[in-house]
Amino acid sequence: GAGVSQTPSNKVTEKGKYVELRCDPISGHTALYWYRQSLGQGPEFLIYFQGTGAADDSGLPNDRFFAVRPEGSVSTLKIQRTERGDSAVYLCASSLVGGEETQYFGPGTRLLVL
Amino acid sequence: KQEVTQIPAALSVPEGENLVLNCSFTDSAIYNLQWFRQDPGKGLTSLLLIQSSQREQTSGRLNASLDKSSGRSTLYIAASQPGDSATYLCAVRPRGSYIPTFGRGTSLIVHP
């Protein structure tokens, strides 16, 4: 079956622009996570969805970052007024039940803010 | 706050060697610990998941152990192959939370 997919695979934008990153989880997975990974670092938690609701958004760095999952499947991470420090790989993962199961990761979106 | 450290940061070995990668964590109140593999430009692939009540897990040439009391886990790779070259990350999920904390990873190169 299909794994977690993320689009776009690469995104180059200019400082101050708005970007949207999309995640398609594995069908039937109720839990969805967003992480950010900088070069040479491990993934850093951003937000966790259980179904349609954000169960934990404590990892979002500031109010420029927002994520939605309106139908409990696809999720979109939105970044307003991008800054050069936002450049990183944004990873999405899903699991069958939040926290108790193995997380399956997508390939990530590489964001470069010029 | 949970902190996860992985040693060594990088490792280069000839093919055929047995390897030990180390992961240490500061808070022993964990739910589980997971080892992942990450290939360049790719996402993470789960290798082994150890629940807090378990001591080890094995899959093929991989064996992961967990010692909660000392805050340590090791990933043992037997008879390493060039295809094992990747970054290996450990992630610790604390008790009462759905959010794992990742280490920085060990970058492994196995040369023929």
Side-chain angles (χ1 to χ4, degrees):
Chain A
V4 178
S5 62
Q6 293 186 245
T7 55
S9 54
N10 293 280
K11 177 70 177 178
V12 181
T13 190
E14 294 179 344
K15 180 174 178 292
K17 299 289 188 181
Y18 168 83
V19 297
E20 289 189 352
L21 312 179
R22 177 188 167 109
C23 172
D24 272 277
I26 293 173
S27 178
H29 280 194
T30 61
L32 185 146
Y33 302 76
W34 282 99
Y35 297 88
R36 178 168 68 176
Q37 187 176 26
S38 301
L39 194 63
Q41 306 289 322
E44 176 188 25
F45 166 75
L46 295 176
I47 186 169
Y48 157 60
F49 286 90
Q50 182 59 255
T52 60
D56 189 329
D57 64 358
S58 62
L60 295 177
N62 51 59
D63 61 6
R64 296 187 296 106
F65 288 74
F66 189 71
V68 295
R69 194 186 185 199
E71 298 178 357
S73 177
V74 170
S75 176
T76 304
L77 179 65
K78 309 180 181 192
I79 310 174
Q80 298 178 322
R81 305 183 303 279
T82 52
E83 300 178 355
R84 293 193 179 87
D86 299 335
S87 297
V89 176
Y90 288 82
L91 294 165
C92 175
S94 70
S95 65
L96 192 59
V97 178
E100 298 179 5
E101 303 283 338
T102 296
Q103 293 186 22
Y104 296 87
F105 280 78
T109 292
R110 281 147 198 80
L111 175 66
L112 177 61
V113 182
L114 300 176
Chain B
K1 180 186 173 185
Q2 179 74 270
E3 293 183 7
V4 179
T5 303
Q6 291 189 244
I7 294 173
L11 190 59
S12 179
V13 299
E15 182 176 8
E17 280 203 5
N18 299 323
L19 307 172
V20 175
L21 308 182
N22 297 290
C23 173
S24 62
F25 47 95
T26 54
D27 187 348
S28 61
I30 69 169
Y31 186 80
N32 61 39
L33 182 145
Q34 195 161 2
W35 283 93
F36 291 88
R37 168 186 173 136
Q38 186 172 31
D39 292 279
K42 307 282 182 157
L44 281 65
T45 301
S46 178
L47 298 173
L48 292 164
L49 173 67
I50 311 177
Q51 302 294 346
S52 64
S53 59
Q54 298 174 324
R55 298 281 297 182
E56 66 177 344
Q57 283 285 339
T58 298
S59 176
R61 293 182 294 108
L62 305 179
N63 175 278
S65 66
L66 174 64
D67 184 343
K68 267 196 321 179
S69 61
S70 65
R72 294 185 182 186
S73 176
T74 60
L75 179 66
Y76 177 81
I77 303 176
S80 59
Q81 303 171 357
D84 295 331
S85 299
T87 296
Y88 291 80
L89 295 141
C90 75
V92 176
R93 187 193 146 199
R95 203 179 298 154
S97 171
Y98 295 123
I99 311 307
T101 299
F102 284 82
R104 292 187 175 189
T106 293
S107 176
L108 172 65
I109 296 175
V110 181
H111 46 87

